[in-house]
Amino acid sequence: MTPSPWRVFWGLLEHDLLITRKQLGGVLAQVLMQPLLMLLVFGKVLGALGYTPPGYARLLLPGLVALNAFFAAVQNASFPLAMEFATRTIENRLRAPVPLAWIVVERIFAAASRGLVTAVFMVPVGALVLGGLSWRTAGLPAAFGYAVLGSLAGGAVGTTIGSLASPTRIGITFSLVMPRCCSPVPRSSPSPNSAPSPGSGRCAR
């Protein structure tokens, strides 16, 4: 008797989630380092030196959480998938008694779960760096919904990249296809004739 597609789907997803739980420490260390450094530099250091406006770090953290949800899902979908194509271990997954679309959707959901987990872990890490959060609880459900959508979009993009790029060129393809993160420092360069702000002279001395 052939199992139902839903049962096979949940079996594959449960297997990937089990691997995620075993590799959770490595996954978090891999994807949280860059957002943590960005938050520390642009949110704390430059704010203390007067280069960013007050409250800028509070606006930076939600953006980093959303960015982490998307890029973590892209990374965790594209790189493992490209390696599975190279080692031909993808054939074991393709032998599952379900159409190919179910396997693709499962891969997207598995990558999205990793992206969502890293985004959730980014919140307490950011609160620890900034010394607390002042978010409204009424907006948390909407924020979580957007994080889920961003993770699913990242999983879809990562699955596409991983299935098209070869393992030897996946890094180059990832850096070319995905937009680079722009500097989060606000562009408020004063004109040459404008007077310096009261706090700008502290760093020029």
Side-chain angles (χ1 to χ4, degrees), residues 92-159:
N92 297 329
R93 190 178 293 266
L94 294 177
R95 292 193 183 100
V98 289
L100 181 60
W102 286 82
I103 301 177
V104 174
V105 172
E106 186 277 329
R107 173 69 67 169
I108 294 174
F109 271 79
S113 65
R114 290 195 173 194
L116 191 61
V117 167
T118 55
V120 171
F121 271 90
M122 185 66 195
V123 176
V125 171
L128 183 63
V129 173
L130 299 179
L133 295 176
S134 58
W135 292 355
R136 295 181 304 168
T137 56
L140 292 181
F144 183 78
Y146 283 120
V148 172
L149 293 178
S151 300
L152 291 173
V157 173
T159 302

Side-chain angles (χ1 to χ4, degrees), residues 22-45:
K22 291 182 178 180
Q23 301 176 351
L24 184 60
V27 171
L28 293 178
Q30 184 181 11
V31 298
L32 286 181
M33 187 60 64
Q34 182 179 358
L36 179 60
L37 292 177
M38 292 177 63
L39 184 63
L40 183 63
V41 172
F42 295 105
K44 295 289 290 186
V45 177

Side-chain angles (χ1 to χ4, degrees), residues 169-205:
R169 298 179 180 178
I170 184 66
I172 300 176
T173 306
F174 187 84
S175 61
L176 291 177
V177 174
M178 301 305 299
R180 293 183 178 272
C181 301
C182 299
S183 173
V185 176
R187 300 180 180 273
S188 57
S189 314
S191 61
N193 299 327
S194 62
S197 59
S200 61
R202 292 179 296 175
C203 301
R205 296 173 184 173

